[in-house]
Amino acid sequence: MPASPKFAHVVFQTSQPREMRDWYCAVLDGHVVYQDDALSFITFDEEHHRVALIHPAVPLKRRTPDTAAMHHVAYTFEPIDDLLARYVLLRDQPILPAVCIAHGVTTSMYCRDPDGNMVEMQIDRFEEPGDATAYMKGPEYAADSVGPSFDPEALLKARHDGATAEELSDRAWALKADLPDPMPVLMGGGD
């Protein structure tokens, strides 16, 4: 049986290399490993680069909702307090989520980079992958595979007020807010 690959990096083509570099360094608490007129390599862990930027000499258009492209790249935080700390750090810069969704399998905040690409910052609800798969095959997920929106400030307040990660990973707390359907923003519509 062949070995399974592991994820190495994602590469974006951009006409805004400085803005994209600074944004990804801020969002991922990363740093530039290498940069020249054509390329930028950014990492936030032991890998030599996790995000690369190609900056061609021709102007590029910003991603639009009707562009065929990768939808988003996701980064997992452990525990919920790390996700909330990153939210506060970015909020104060200000880099704000376009939409936040209690997927049930993850609790996720989606931000748009300067070119309009989505980046998901999430926590996993289940410690074991098999439990996550079972949830995704269950009735709650079948009834709504996306899940409800949530207010990140409400999540932050609930955690500060003593709510557990388990309570905040369940869709029930987000459903109480009765916020608009997250799909229009998730699919590229207005924030």
Side-chain angles (χ1 to χ4, degrees):
M1 174 177 246
S4 297
K6 79 174 191 181
F7 178 78
H9 59 262
V10 61
V11 180
F12 297 100
Q13 182 169 278
T14 183
S15 289
Q16 304 182 82
R18 188 175 336 112
E19 294 86 348
M20 291 281 283
R21 177 201 65 210
D22 294 349
W23 194 90
Y24 278 94
C25 283
V27 168
L28 300 174
D29 193 24
H31 63 277
V32 175
V33 175
Y34 176 81
Q35 182 173 298
D36 63 23
D37 290 341
L39 299 166
S40 299
F41 295 121
I42 300 164
T43 194
F44 53 86
D45 63 8
E46 73 286 343
E47 188 72 17
H48 47 81
H49 71 284
R50 290 292 186 184
V51 175
L53 305 173
I54 297 174
H55 2 114
V58 298
L60 301 171
K61 295 178 184 172
R62 188 175 191 272
R63 186 182 187 283
T64 63
D66 61 353
T67 303
M70 176 187 70
H71 183 270
H72 70 272
V73 61
Y75 298 93
T76 301
F77 289 79
E78 292 181 51
I80 192 171
D81 300 307
D82 290 349
L83 175 63
L84 290 169
R86 186 62 52 93
Y87 163 72
V88 169
L89 176 77
L90 296 175
R91 175 196 68 193
D92 295 345
Q93 292 201 29
I95 297 173
L96 300 173
V99 67
C100 298
I101 305 174
H103 289 300
V105 70
T106 64
T107 300
S108 303
M109 298 180 188
Y110 293 84
C111 296
R112 281 202 183 94
D113 74 16
D115 281 345
N117 302 299
M118 287 284 232
V119 172
E120 177 183 8
M121 295 179 292
Q122 67 177 29
I123 59 162
D124 284 319
R125 177 179 180 187
F126 303 99
E127 287 186 34
E128 297 298 322
D131 294 337
T133 301
Y135 173 80
M136 292 175 77
K137 292 181 176 182
E140 183 174 73
Y141 202 78
D144 179 5
S145 60
V146 175
S149 295
F150 69 86
D151 177 350
E153 289 294 325
L155 180 69
L156 185 63
K157 182 179 182 327
R159 185 66 172 150
H160 284 171
D161 290 348
T164 67
E166 291 76 24
E167 292 169 314
L168 298 175
S169 295
D170 191 293
R171 289 180 174 186
W173 80 270
L175 285 167
K176 293 176 190 174
D178 196 29
L179 295 175
D181 180 6
M183 281 301 284
V185 176
L186 192 62
M187 293 293 115
D191 300 319

